[in-house]
């Protein structure tokens, strides 16, 4: 017969960003616990709503046709109403999992509890149900708050473009700072301050989590059997402070001798438009990946491994503060250039540089955090690099895939759970992946360290 057309299908087709899948048919009596969970179907997510909202605001802000302002405002207002409906339906549960998916997840949970040590670290059916319920409340709270913000922007700023209003506020703040501080103070205090505050905020947040090990979060730890000690943490803080000092010295030198030449308009009193700022931020990402990959790969050459990089790898189970727990040479040659080369080559405006410094610092701290929380991305890739000592030399897995420096990782159980979860299924999938994944044997022809770790040659 012909396929069914349901409200869910129509909404998905209309909103373009959703996904559809054919009805699963009768649910099997006992779904295979080893079967990978299917993607969550439905009309929309927060991410796709943000795409809609910013696209609409950007179109009206950047491409105003003379004489057509009234039509442009009507278009934007209509687009905003659609976005609100879209978000409301999404957070209201229209795209929730069907019974087949619920049954499969429940069977996988029961199977994981039977075969793995998860119950030792708090994984049980009660924990799973409570965590799932709390996640739903979290998503709805964020969704309602976001929807309220959208409503406020569209009503408060109408008929002006919301993004234009936000950008004007940013311009006002930048103008105030530009008049109050010198260019060198803005660069050193802004760039170094953004790095310093973000790094220590992340380090302390995850230190509290590590030392308290709350029962409701423990199943989300990548290497849950390892306990952080105060001695190791304080030692890491000491090394991190040394490297913060190195970063400050570099910031001073760049502020006085490099940045004025690389970015002649970097201290301009007018901040760049949203499209330009976004372009600069996006363009800095591949440059950071290239710089970090090749610098990191150099550190895995035997000479640098033994004399420099092995210091960083003494942490087999990383935490956020370990992000800059490195030999000063490595920090100066690899870590610092990864953050500053992209903005310098792009001639990035200083206000955008601040945003980049925050994002880059957050990214590296998250990659070392050792936890895999729902909705907050995966740190599994770099956690594998520390636990095994090799593979995953980059951050995006693009150059690693091209140069085959992630072969063992792609065959590992860690790769199977390297994704952003929206449910409490990470500890479940981890146990099942460990049980079903064959650990690759030592490849022939590779050069290995006496400790059993591979180096790149």
């Amino acid at each position: 017969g012909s396929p069914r057309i349901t409200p869910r299908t129509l909404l998905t087709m209309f909103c373009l960003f959703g996904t559809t899948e054919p009805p699963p048919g009768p649910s099997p009596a006992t779904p295979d616990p080893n079967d990978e969970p299917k993607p969550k179907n439905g009309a929309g997510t927060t991410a796709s709503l943000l795409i809609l909202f910013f696209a609409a605001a950007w179109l009206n802000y950047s491409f105003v046709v003379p004489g057509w302002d009234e039509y442009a405002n009507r278009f934007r207002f209509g687009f905003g109403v659609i976005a609100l409906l879209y978000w409301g339906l999404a957070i209201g549960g229209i795209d929730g999992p069907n019974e087949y998916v619920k049954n499969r997840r429940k069977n996988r949970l029961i199977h994981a509890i039977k075969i793995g040590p998860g119950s030792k670290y708090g994984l049980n059916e009660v924990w799973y149900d409570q965590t799932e319920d709390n996640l739903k409340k979290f998503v709805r709270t964020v969704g309602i708050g976001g929807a309220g913000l959208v409503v406020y922007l569209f009503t408060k700023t109408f008929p002006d473009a919301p993004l234009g209003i936000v950008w004007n506020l940013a311009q006002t703040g930048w103008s105030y700072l530009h008049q109050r501080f010198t260019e060198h103070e803005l660069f050193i205090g802004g760039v170094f301050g953004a790095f310093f505050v973000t790094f220590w905020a992340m380090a302390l947040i995850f230190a509290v989590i590590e030392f308290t090990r709350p029962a409701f979060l423990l199943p989300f730890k990548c290497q849950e059997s390892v306990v952080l000690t105060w001695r190791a943490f304080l030692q890491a803080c000491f090394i991190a402070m040394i490297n913060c000092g190195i970063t400050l010295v570099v910031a001073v030198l760049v502020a006085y001798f490099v940045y004025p030449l690389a970015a002649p308009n970097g201290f301009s009193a007018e901040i760049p438009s949203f499209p330009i700022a976004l372009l600069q931020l996006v363009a800095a990402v591949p440059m950071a990946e290239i710089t970090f990959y090749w610098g990191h790969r150099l550190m895995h050459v035997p000479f640098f491994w033994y004399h420099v990089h092995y210091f960083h790898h003494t942490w087999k189970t990383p935490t956020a503060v370990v992000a800059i727990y490195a030999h000063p040479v490595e920090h100066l040659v690899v870590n610092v250039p990864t953050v500053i080369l992209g903005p310098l080559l792009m001639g990035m405006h200083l206000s955008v540089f601040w945003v980049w410094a925050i994002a880059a610092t957050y990214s590296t701290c998250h990659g070392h955090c050792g936890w895999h929380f729902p909705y907050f991305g995966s740190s599994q890739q770099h956690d594998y690099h520390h636990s095994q000592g090799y593979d995953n030399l980059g951050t995006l897995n693009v150059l690693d895939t091209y140069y085959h420096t992630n072969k063992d990782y792609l065959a590992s159980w860690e790769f199977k759970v390297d994704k952003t979860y929206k449910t409490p299924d990470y500890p479940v999938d981890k146990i099942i992946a460990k049980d079903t994944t064959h650990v690759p044997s030592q490849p022939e022809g590779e050069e290995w360290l006496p400790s059993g770790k591979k180096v790149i040659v």
Side-chain angles (χ1 to χ4, degrees):
S2 59
R4 294 185 304 163
I5 302 298
T6 64
R8 183 202 300 264
T9 306
L10 290 174
L11 187 61
T12 301
M13 294 170 60
F14 178 73
C15 294
L16 301 178
F17 293 97
T19 58
T20 57
E21 60 182 29
S27 300
T30 306
D32 182 3
N34 296 325
D35 186 23
E36 289 294 321
K38 294 182 179 179
K40 184 180 180 182
N41 64 343
T45 62
T46 302
S48 51
L49 170 78
L50 290 175
I51 293 174
L52 284 172
F53 172 68
F54 282 111
W58 185 15
L59 282 172
N60 189 57
Y61 178 67
S62 305
F63 305 103
V64 177
V65 180
W68 290 82
D69 291 351
E70 180 181 355
Y71 294 96
N73 288 325
R74 290 178 181 177
F75 166 77
R76 178 176 57 77
F77 187 78
F79 217 119
V81 172
I82 294 172
L84 284 175
L85 292 174
Y86 184 75
W87 200 339
L89 292 170
I91 65 175
I94 191 172
D95 58 344
N98 54 37
E99 288 302 318
Y100 175 82
V101 175
K102 289 180 179 179
N103 290 337
R104 184 172 62 238
R105 284 165 48 186
K106 184 64 70 174
N107 276 273
R108 288 172 61 84
L109 171 63
I110 295 172
H111 180 67
I113 294 173
K114 288 181 179 179
I115 66 173
S119 57
K120 179 180 178 182
Y121 303 104
L123 177 62
N124 53 62
E125 292 187 58
V126 174
W127 173 88
Y128 186 95
D129 292 338
Q130 290 180 346
T131 305
E132 186 174 37
D133 184 58
N134 289 333
L135 285 174
K136 289 179 180 178
K137 292 178 180 178
F138 168 76
V139 172
R140 281 176 169 77
T141 301
V142 173
I144 293 172
L149 176 62
V150 173
V151 171
Y152 174 80
L153 288 174
F154 272 94
T155 55
K156 186 74 173 179
T157 65
F158 188 81
D160 297 320
L163 192 56
I165 299 298
V166 173
W167 222 244
N168 288 337
L169 291 175
Q171 176 64 65
T172 301
W174 171 255
S175 298
Y176 172 80
L177 295 174
H178 193 269
Q179 295 172 5
R180 189 176 181 87
F181 300 99
T182 67
E183 294 179 347
H184 296 144
E185 290 173 341
L186 287 172
F187 186 94
I188 298 169
V191 175
F192 177 77
F195 152 75
F196 189 85
V197 172
T198 304
F199 171 78
W200 284 109
M202 293 283 288
L204 293 177
I205 288 171
F206 280 100
V208 170
I209 296 175
E210 290 282 1
F211 287 120
T212 58
R213 292 171 69 88
F216 69 97
L217 292 180
L218 190 55
F220 295 116
K221 185 168 173 58
C222 297
Q223 302 180 50
E224 64 275 6
S225 63
V226 181
V227 179
L228 179 65
T229 65
W230 275 104
R231 180 178 181 179
F233 175 71
L234 293 176
Q235 179 185 355
C237 288
F238 176 73
I239 300 299
M241 284 302 299
I242 292 176
N243 285 328
C244 283
I246 294 175
T247 305
L248 177 59
V249 173
V250 172
V252 172
L253 295 176
V254 171
Y256 278 88
F257 303 108
V258 181
Y259 189 70
L261 299 176
N265 298 320
F267 294 111
S268 172
E270 183 177 350
I271 64 174
S273 64
F274 175 76
I276 297 299
L278 183 62
L279 175 64
Q280 291 180 343
L281 290 171
V282 171
V285 173
M287 179 53 61
E289 173 70 2
I290 293 170
T291 305
F292 181 72
Y293 177 86
W294 286 108
H296 194 186
R297 183 162 180 166
L298 176 67
M299 292 296 108
H300 277 258
V301 170
F303 175 82
F304 289 105
W305 171 273
Y306 283 114
H307 295 92
V308 178
H309 192 50
Y310 188 76
F311 183 71
H312 182 66
H313 274 272
T314 54
W315 283 80
K316 300 293 186 287
T317 305
T319 185
V321 71
V322 180
I324 60 172
Y325 180 88
H327 192 288
V329 171
E330 178 181 354
H331 186 68
L332 192 60
V333 173
V334 181
N335 296 345
V336 173
T338 297
V339 177
I340 68 172
L341 276 183
L344 293 179
L345 292 175
M346 287 295 298
M348 186 179 288
H349 190 273
L350 185 54
S351 61
V352 185
F353 202 153
W354 293 356
V355 177
W356 169 254
I358 294 172
T361 306
Y362 171 86
S363 177
T364 188
C365 289
H366 178 267
H368 287 84
C369 74
W371 295 79
H372 195 153
F373 297 127
Y375 289 99
F376 285 90
S378 170
S379 62
Q380 207 72 55
Q381 180 179 327
H382 202 70
D383 198 87
Y384 177 91
H385 178 77
H386 273 265
S387 66
Q388 301 302 314
Y390 60 91
D391 267 18
N392 300 339
L393 302 177
T395 57
L396 302 179
N397 235 339
V398 176
L399 293 178
D400 281 304
T401 300
Y402 183 80
Y403 290 106
H404 306 292
T405 49
N406 60 357
K407 291 184 294 184
D408 290 349
Y409 176 67
L410 296 180
S412 69
W413 67 263
E414 287 92 341
F415 177 70
K416 293 184 177 180
V417 296
D418 187 5
K419 54 189 175 184
T420 299
Y421 283 86
K422 299 180 182 178
T423 63
D425 285 302
Y426 166 68
V428 176
D429 289 353
K430 179 170 69 172
I431 292 173
I432 295 176
K434 283 183 177 181
D435 184 61
T436 58
T437 303
H438 170 68
V439 179
S441 59
Q442 177 174 322
E444 296 182 4
E446 299 282 5
E447 182 169 344
W448 292 69
L449 297 172
S451 62
K453 305 305 181 185
K454 183 172 63 175
V455 294
I456 303 300
V457 293

